[in-house]
Amino acid sequence: MMNFVVKTLANAGALGVAIWLLQDITLTGESTGKKVLTLILVALVFGLVNFLVKPVVQLFTLPLFVLTLGLFTLVVNALMLLLTSWLADKLDLSFHVEGFWTAVLGGLIISVVSWALNVVLPDRD
């Protein structure tokens, strides 16, 4: 359970950095508390998308991963971020990613930051 909380907080931090760095990834809210709650909920949705959908997409696009020597990972990460944005809209969360190339850059930022946070944060169950 502790590992799930740590990974969710790492995702929330990584999403926060991407929102801070890229003007086309937006998170709106009336107060800071609402923004933080929305960010945590979006991190949960992002974690579920990465847990449930990403492995299936990676399996179906395995030849593209081999052909591009893994660079297709950037495209898959962008698609997962766009799917998270779409689901957040359906769940009435105020998170939005504008455009594919923003999602590619956002996915890259999120990957690097979440990797760094997972290295620093404890990893126990």
Side-chain angles (χ1 to χ4, degrees):
M1 182 67 175
M2 184 65 160
N3 193 26
F4 173 74
V5 172
V6 168
K7 297 246 185 245
T8 301
L9 291 176
N11 274 342
L15 283 164
V17 170
I19 291 165
W20 179 60
L21 289 175
L22 301 174
Q23 69 181 15
D24 288 337
I25 299 178
T26 57
L27 178 76
T28 56
E30 299 89 38
S31 66
T32 303
K34 285 221 180 218
K35 285 183 181 180
V36 169
L37 180 62
T38 302
L39 186 61
I40 291 172
L41 291 173
V42 169
L44 284 170
V45 171
F46 186 65
L48 284 173
V49 165
N50 280 329
F51 181 73
L52 297 173
V53 179
K54 190 174 183 179
V56 174
V57 172
Q58 286 177 331
L59 180 66
F60 286 128
T61 59
L62 187 61
L64 291 172
F65 278 100
V66 173
L67 187 64
T68 63
L69 302 174
L71 288 176
F72 195 71
T73 304
L74 294 172
V75 173
V76 171
N77 287 343
L79 293 174
M80 296 306 107
L81 190 57
L82 286 171
L83 179 59
T84 301
S85 175
W86 181 78
L87 286 171
D89 183 50
K90 297 299 176 193
L91 295 171
D92 202 28
L93 298 171
S94 57
F95 174 78
H96 183 68
V97 178
E98 184 67 39
F100 176 75
W101 293 109
T102 301
V104 169
L105 190 54
L108 184 61
I109 291 168
I110 291 168
S111 295
V112 170
V113 172
S114 65
W115 169 80
L117 288 175
N118 283 317
V119 166
V120 173
L121 293 172
D123 188 24
R124 21 174 211 161
D125 262 337

